[in-house]
Amino acid sequence: NFSSGLRDPMPPTNFVKVDQLTPNSLNVDLVVKVLQCEASLQVLGGSQFSSVTVGDETGTVILRLPAQQARLDPGSTLVLRSARVETSSSGQLRVELGRWSRLVVAETAASLVPQLENDCSAVQYR
C-alpha cells in the first residue's frame, strides 16, 4: 500500500459556528450562508475589497473579500477553510481569507437558517 505510513497533508476539518469566533482566531473553518453583498469598496494598498454579510444558525458576521470574489448571490452557501478573524479599526469582528485560505461556493444550499439577531460584527473589541 503506497499510502501507508504517510500523513494526510490537509488537517481534519474542525468547523466552528459564527458565535464561537473571537478576535485573532486563526485557521477557522465555517459553513455560512450569504445574506448580503455590499457594493461599497475599500481600497487598501491598491487592492479592492468588499464586505459580505454571512451567517449560520448562531449569528452573522462580516466577511471581507477581494472585490472579484465578492460577487456572490444571497442565499448561497459558502465553505470557508483556514480563514482568520481580524478586528477592524473600529474594533468590529470580520472574517478574512489569508494566503492559504479557501472559499468554495457549495453546489447545494445548506438548510441552515441564519440567526439575524446575533450580529457578531456589531460587538466592539478594544
Side-chain angles (χ1 to χ4, degrees):
N1 185 352
F2 177 73
S3 64
S4 65
L6 298 178
R7 295 181 66 187
D8 184 5
M10 181 63 82
T13 304
N14 185 17
F15 288 103
V16 297
K17 298 295 183 184
V18 168
D19 69 347
Q20 295 173 309
L21 299 175
T22 58
N24 303 316
S25 295
L26 298 173
N27 297 317
V28 174
D29 299 327
L30 291 167
V31 176
V32 291
K33 211 171 246 197
V34 176
L35 301 173
Q36 178 183 352
C37 295
E38 293 196 16
S40 63
L41 294 176
Q42 294 177 314
V43 178
L44 299 171
S47 299
Q48 295 181 338
F49 293 90
S50 293
S51 295
V52 178
T53 304
V54 297
D56 65 14
E57 58 274 359
T58 66
T60 63
V61 69
I62 298 297
L63 170 62
R64 190 171 84 161
L65 293 174
Q68 66 271 18
Q69 282 186 305
R71 294 182 182 95
L72 301 166
D73 295 324
S76 299
T77 300
L78 305 179
V79 179
L80 302 172
R81 295 282 316 266
S82 296
R84 67 176 183 251
V85 180
E86 300 280 337
T87 51
S88 66
S89 57
S90 60
Q92 297 174 313
L93 282 184
R94 66 179 176 222
V95 177
E96 298 184 354
L97 300 179
R99 174 184 284 176
W100 306 110
S101 302
R102 286 192 225 158
L103 179 146
V104 176
V105 179
E107 291 183 22
T108 57
S111 60
L112 61 91
V113 177
Q115 174 62 263
L116 302 177
E117 290 77 31
N118 185 21
D119 182 358
C120 296
S121 289
V123 177
Q124 299 230 339
Y125 293 88
R126 290 276 175 176

